[in-house]
């Protein structure tokens, strides 16, 4: 059961998807939910089927006081590293909320403070707080949608299925076809790779 407590009415939950991928963006969402919001299906997006995530997305978008989703793409990830790119994606998502929250709860144990707004990091927060769970669902569904779109351009990597994660199939395709413009060049694409082709 997710925690229905709120620090304040304009508390935003934020989370990201795609940190461990070899290709595509890291995607973050920030969500402010109304105080009386409840949903029996909502949970950490990793605990939900694709059907349930797809079902929840329009409900969350309709019922949220405010929500925002932002991608940080592979070139920027390569430039500033994946941890900083994750923080940047969350900051950009928070910055697009209207109204801005007066408190932020973040999934995980690390966060770069957002200017003038206090925050709290909550380990496994996407399984404890509704607004973080909502952010995890939106980040995941928007990123999956983007990966399905670029799959059409490079179907041999099967991003529609693996979403850019380092599956055996994805790595075999990299061995065979090389890297695309969507791959993160700063990541170790293959286990035997010793140098980066940047």
């Amino acid at each position: 059961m997710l925690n229905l407590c709120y620090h304040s009415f304009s508390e935003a939950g934020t989370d990201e998807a795609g940190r461990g991928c070899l290709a595509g963006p890291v995607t973050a969402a920030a969500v402010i939910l109304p105080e009386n919001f409840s949903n029996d299906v909502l949970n950490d997006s990793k605990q939900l089927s694709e059907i349930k995530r797809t079902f929840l997305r329009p409900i969350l978008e309709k019922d949220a006081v405010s929500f925002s989703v932002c991608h940080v793409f592979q070139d920027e990830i390569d430039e500033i590293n994946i941890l900083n790119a994750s923080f940047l994606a969350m900051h950009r998502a928070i910055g697009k909320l209207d109204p801005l929250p007066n408190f932020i709860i973040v999934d995980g144990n690390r966060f770069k403070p957002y200017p003038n707004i206090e925050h709290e990091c909550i380990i496994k927060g996407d399984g404890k707080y509704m607004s973080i769970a909502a952010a995890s669902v939106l980040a995941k569904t928007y990123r999956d949608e983007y990966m399905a779109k670029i799959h059409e351009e490079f179907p041999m990597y099967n991003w529609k299925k693996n979403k850019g994660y380092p599956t055996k199939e994805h790595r075999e395709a990299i061995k065979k076809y090389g890297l695309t413009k969507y791959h993160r060049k700063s990541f170790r694409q293959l286990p035997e790779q010793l140098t980066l082709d940047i």
Side-chain angles (χ1 to χ4, degrees):
M1 183 68 182
L2 294 185
N3 195 321
L4 295 177
C5 295
Y6 290 82
H7 296 103
S8 67
F9 174 69
S10 63
E11 171 186 285
T14 187
D15 198 7
E16 49 70 31
R19 227 168 107 167
C21 295
L22 302 179
V26 62
T27 303
V31 183
I32 300 172
L33 291 173
E35 279 189 276
N36 61 355
F37 181 84
S38 72
N39 185 293
D40 293 336
V41 179
L42 183 59
N43 200 344
D44 164 15
S45 66
K46 295 184 288 296
Q47 305 297 321
L48 298 172
S49 66
E50 188 172 352
I51 289 168
K52 284 183 177 174
R53 291 193 299 266
T54 303
F55 164 77
L56 282 166
R57 177 168 147 178
I59 294 170
L60 297 171
E61 291 178 344
K62 181 174 78 68
D63 290 351
V65 173
S66 182
F67 76 90
S68 171
V69 183
C70 286
H71 299 300
V72 170
F73 291 97
Q74 55 283 343
D75 292 349
E76 210 163 4
I77 292 170
D78 289 338
E79 201 176 303
I80 64 175
N81 82 43
I82 187 60
L83 183 63
N84 285 324
S86 299
F87 295 156
L88 181 61
M90 288 190 272
H91 277 219
R92 285 178 180 168
I94 292 162
K96 289 187 174 183
L97 293 173
D98 186 16
L100 276 176
N102 55 32
F103 197 82
I104 301 162
I105 51 175
V106 186
D107 182 54
N109 62 356
R110 295 176 75 181
F111 186 64
K112 185 178 177 183
Y114 189 91
N116 305 316
I117 305 177
E118 287 186 32
H119 75 271
E120 182 181 349
C121 292
I122 300 164
I123 294 168
K124 295 187 178 172
D126 47 6
K128 296 173 183 172
Y129 286 88
M130 285 242 170
S131 60
I132 301 179
S136 79
V137 167
L138 292 184
K140 174 74 175 151
T141 54
Y142 273 79
R143 188 181 186 281
D144 285 358
E145 187 175 77
Y146 176 83
M147 295 307 292
K149 183 178 154 193
I150 63 172
H151 165 88
E152 302 302 320
E153 199 176 340
F154 293 98
M156 63 283 275
Y157 299 92
N158 204 9
W159 291 330
K160 194 171 184 180
K161 184 182 176 189
N162 63 49
K163 311 299 192 279
Y165 281 94
T167 61
K168 186 180 177 187
E169 177 191 41
H170 189 183
R171 284 193 150 140
E172 287 297 324
I174 291 169
K175 267 188 196 174
K176 188 173 180 180
Y177 302 105
L179 300 182
T180 68
K181 61 185 177 182
Y182 297 113
H183 281 98
R184 302 173 184 177
K185 309 298 191 294
S186 58
F187 275 49
R188 198 167 102 155
Q189 298 285 341
L190 297 170
E192 63 272 23
Q193 181 179 329
L194 297 176
T195 58
L196 297 173
D197 299 321
I198 298 178

